[in-house]
Amino acid sequence: MPAGHASDPQELSADTPAKMHDAEAAAGRSGSDAPAGGGPIVETKDLRKCFGKNEILKGIDFEVLPGEVVSVIGASGSGKSTFLRCINLLEWPTSGQVLYHGQNVLEAGYDVNRYRIHLGMVFQQFNLFNNLNVLQNCVIGQVRAAGVSKAEAKDRAVEYLSKVGMEPYVEAKPRQLSGGQKQRVAIARALSMQPEALLFDEPTSALDPEMVGEVLSVIGELAESGLTMVIVTHEMAFARDVSDRVVFVDDGVIAEQGPPAELFENPQLPRTREFLTRFHAG
Ligand SMILES: Nc1ncnc2c1ncn2[C@@H]1O[C@H](COP(=O)(O)OP(=O)(O)OP(=O)(O)O)[C@@H](O)[C@H]1O
Ligand SMILES: [Mg+2]
């Protein structure tokens, strides 16, 4: 079925995704067209990003393997969000490579829209469409960006909303939900696209303290289910519990990384120790 632009519902306002995918390109669903093999899903090589004269990312070499949960920690302003946004090309890197199953997605002619479908993103501020209800929020991307039929998209949306405990709220508008509920909807929306990996940018930082737990427990369940995830977080105890690897970003580079027990118990660099001490003290 074509991803008919003409049949787009009227109520979808300017804050809905503008650039939609054609049906042909979307026909291969995420995951199904991913090359087999045990290599990294995504890899960056000497990734650099400048804003004007400021070099924010100063050569990041990174990879995430299938099923891996990687937490990214570091001080405010160190470049964590910029790094995630360069991975899924919300920001275009200044130089270096972003490889998806070994292919450089920055090369001319690469189908960037299709690449983005493979990587879900969950934002600090939820980024739900306020004019759409919960179900519509979880359906629209599937139909318009990935070419899924409306019926299937609804089934998937309900399935993932159930998973995060938000199925009773399918008719609700975002303004009727708490922050924790909005974030759980945002997670269900990302999962509905059946991405190969999910990127989280401080998913609990905008929440009232009593709602942090419900969102972290959903993310923890996803980690246990084997979903590949990269999580920027300031929740150190959580990072320690769920991660296979923790990456410490400092001033635009990966200063140190390792299994959580090693990085948290026995950081090698003074800079890492300082950061962790400040955190424990705070
Ligand atoms: N679009 C932009 N234009 C100019 N400068 C930017 C832009 N986005 C980020 N920066 C700058 O890049 C630096 C790193 O920002 P970034 O948001 O990646 O840090 P962060 O590690 O995510 O911090 P936080 O923990 O506070 O979220 C900051 O100095 C920021 O001001
Ligand atoms: Mg940030």
Side-chain angles (χ1 to χ4, degrees):
M1 196 212 286
H5 292 240
S7 64
D8 292 344
Q10 285 295 313
E11 78 265 33
L12 303 181
S13 72
D15 63 352
T16 53
K19 185 150 191 215
M20 293 305 156
H21 219 242
D22 62 75
E24 193 184 1
R29 286 291 304 122
S30 65
S32 62
D33 59 343
I41 295 176
V42 175
E43 199 174 354
T44 67
K45 289 189 175 168
D46 196 27
L47 183 71
R48 288 168 191 270
K49 176 66 184 176
C50 300
F51 291 112
K53 285 185 179 160
N54 291 336
E55 191 176 45
I56 301 301
L57 300 183
K58 300 173 180 173
I60 295 199
D61 294 309
F62 173 82
E63 60 178 40
V64 59
L65 299 170
E68 230 189 345
V69 176
V70 182
S71 290
V72 178
I73 62 171
S76 182
S78 57
K80 306 179 299 295
S81 296
T82 305
F83 174 52
L84 272 197
R85 294 168 64 81
C86 280
I87 288 182
N88 74 354
L89 306 183
L90 285 174
E91 296 284 356
W92 199 261
T94 305
S95 66
Q97 296 185 342
V98 178
L99 304 166
Y100 173 65
H101 292 287
Q103 269 203 300
N104 188 3
V105 307
L106 304 178
E107 268 171 16
Y110 194 91
D111 188 344
V112 166
N113 286 332
R114 186 162 174 171
Y115 165 67
R116 285 203 184 100
I117 291 174
H118 296 296
L119 296 183
M121 180 99 172
V122 174
F123 302 88
Q124 186 176 348
Q125 295 293 344
F126 329 123
N127 293 18
L128 295 176
F129 303 127
N130 288 323
N131 57 324
L132 303 185
N133 70 24
V134 162
L135 184 67
Q136 290 166 329
N137 263 283
C138 294
V139 162
I140 183 172
Q142 297 186 66
V143 173
R144 299 178 98 190
V148 178
S149 74
K150 271 191 181 158
E152 192 185 342
K154 276 188 186 168
D155 286 348
R156 276 192 204 166
V158 169
E159 178 191 338
Y160 291 109
L161 284 166
S162 304
K163 215 169 229 176
V164 302
M166 287 303 292
E167 200 248 333
Y169 296 85
V170 285
E171 303 276 349
K173 289 282 180 69
R175 67 172 177 277
Q176 298 169 302
L177 305 176
S178 73
Q181 290 174 327
K182 281 187 217 180
Q183 194 59 300
R184 285 188 282 142
V185 171
I187 292 170
R189 176 178 63 176
L191 291 171
S192 297
M193 299 294 284
Q194 301 190 330
E196 247 192 297
L198 264 192
L199 313 177
F200 292 83
D201 192 359
E202 296 199 35
T204 60
S205 295
L207 301 178
D208 291 337
E210 67 268 26
M211 288 164 196
V212 169
E214 71 192 54
V215 170
L216 291 184
S217 92
V218 164
I219 300 172
E221 281 165 25
L222 294 175
E224 290 207 341
S225 77
L227 186 67
T228 309
M229 300 195 280
V230 181
I231 309 168
V232 172
T233 184
H234 288 296
E235 299 282 344
M236 297 300 155
F238 171 75
R240 189 194 186 110
D241 281 353
V242 304
S243 312
D244 299 303
R245 179 156 51 99
V246 179
V247 167
F248 172 56
V249 173
D250 186 38
D251 195 20
V253 297
I254 293 180
E256 184 169 352
Q257 60 180 313
E262 281 175 28
L263 192 114
F264 287 120
E265 300 294 341
N266 191 19
Q268 298 300 300
L269 298 180
R271 187 66 198 87
T272 317
R273 282 198 285 276
E274 229 174 83
F275 172 77
L276 291 173
T277 309
R278 245 189 303 138
F279 245 91
H280 291 311

